[in-house]
Every structure is written in structure tokens, then in C-alpha cells.
Amino acid sequence: MSQLQSTSRPKKTKTVVIAVKSESGFYRQVKSAAQKITPKLLLTRIENSVSGGIPDFLICDGEGKFHFVELKFVKSGNVVNLLPSQVSWLTRHKAGSVWVLVKKHGDPAECFLYRGGDAVALRMDGLSEVEPVHHCLEPFDWPKIFNLITSE
């Protein structure tokens, strides 16, 4: 019998990028990242049929502070489809920790973080005209994104 020699090479670690093609898929991606990076962050999806415009989810940070985040998914172009009720809510509450987190489909995908006070300009002018607080390509810099959201 011949002796077999091992020719295996060390495995390279690879960043896993999940293909997300909807807003609900984007939320699952955000929640998964939050759980892996900072277990102190509690994310709660807000399903509200009573009062329009309330952002998609709430983050309670380790200090008990609340942060509202509206998610948007852009399949192509630069138009962010914020509803008038969402623009109104984000604008009225801009003094608080209120955010718009946008994922733009592409290869690679892009992520944009905006303050809620930018909602009117974002709806009217789109991604290419409004300066984000943070912009990154996939794989996203989740620690930085969550730090920016929770530092206000």
C-alpha cells in the first residue's frame, strides 16, 4: 500500500457577503451584523399601521439610549423612495438620533448613512446630491456605522 501525503493548504478566511435584494433582507443583514459586533445593541423592528412615517427599526444601545433608523434599498439609480409621511417624521424628529440607512444594489453594493434631517434633500435630490455621514462599499464597515448611529 502506498502512503498518502497531505497536500492541503491553509484555508484562507473569506468575508461572506450576503446578496440582499430587498429592504427586509437588508434589515436581516443589519440585525445579524449588530448581533455579531455589539451584543449590547438591541434592535427592534417597528411594524406600525396606526401612524405613518415611523422609521423601520429602533436601536437601544448599551446606555439605554434610543436611535431610530429608516431603511431604504435602492435597486438602481439614485432615487431614495422616502414617503412624504417618512420625510415628515424624520424632519420633525431631527433633533433626536434619527437616521436613514440606504443600501444601493450593485457589484459591490454600497451603504450610505444620513441624518434624519437630510430626508427632504434625500427625497428631492437623491444619493448623488446629498453628502452622507458615512459611505462604504460591501463588505460594510458595520462597527463604524453602529458607532456613528449610537454616538449621538
Side-chain angles (χ1 to χ4, degrees):
M1 292 176 80
S2 65
Q3 188 176 9
L4 297 175
Q5 293 183 359
S6 174
T7 59
S8 64
R9 296 179 190 154
K11 292 183 180 179
K12 293 181 182 178
T13 55
K14 184 178 174 183
T15 303
V16 177
V17 176
I18 301 167
V20 173
K21 297 182 179 178
S22 69
E23 193 174 291
S24 61
F26 186 27
Y27 174 73
R28 287 190 300 275
Q29 184 181 22
V30 171
K31 186 164 184 157
S32 175
Q35 290 170 340
K36 289 176 186 171
I37 295 165
T38 7
K40 292 183 213 169
L41 295 181
L42 300 174
L43 274 67
T44 303
R45 184 93 164 143
I46 300 172
E47 300 292 338
N48 186 0
S49 60
V50 176
S51 176
I54 295 176
D56 294 312
F57 69 96
L58 174 70
I59 297 175
C60 181
D61 65 25
E63 296 177 16
K65 295 179 183 173
F66 292 103
H67 313 274
F68 288 88
V69 181
E70 177 63 39
L71 288 179
K72 287 296 171 189
F73 184 80
V74 175
K75 291 184 182 182
S76 64
N78 291 306
V79 176
V80 180
N81 289 321
L82 286 165
L83 299 173
S85 59
Q86 293 169 326
V87 172
S88 175
W89 197 99
L90 292 163
T91 303
R92 281 190 334 231
H93 296 86
K94 67 183 179 184
S97 182
V98 180
W99 302 89
V100 180
L101 185 62
V102 180
K103 180 172 184 177
K104 182 176 180 182
H105 180 69
D107 189 19
E110 299 176 74
C111 188
F112 301 82
L113 179 65
Y114 297 93
R115 286 187 172 79
D118 292 329
V120 171
L122 198 53
R123 177 178 162 81
M124 301 300 289
D125 302 327
L127 295 173
S128 61
E129 299 298 320
V130 183
E131 186 70 30
V133 172
H134 180 68
H135 170 252
C136 58
L137 301 176
E138 203 161 33
F140 302 143
D141 187 352
W142 292 114
K144 177 146 187 160
I145 292 168
F146 290 125
N147 184 53
L148 286 166
I149 291 171
T150 60
S151 65
E152 289 208 6

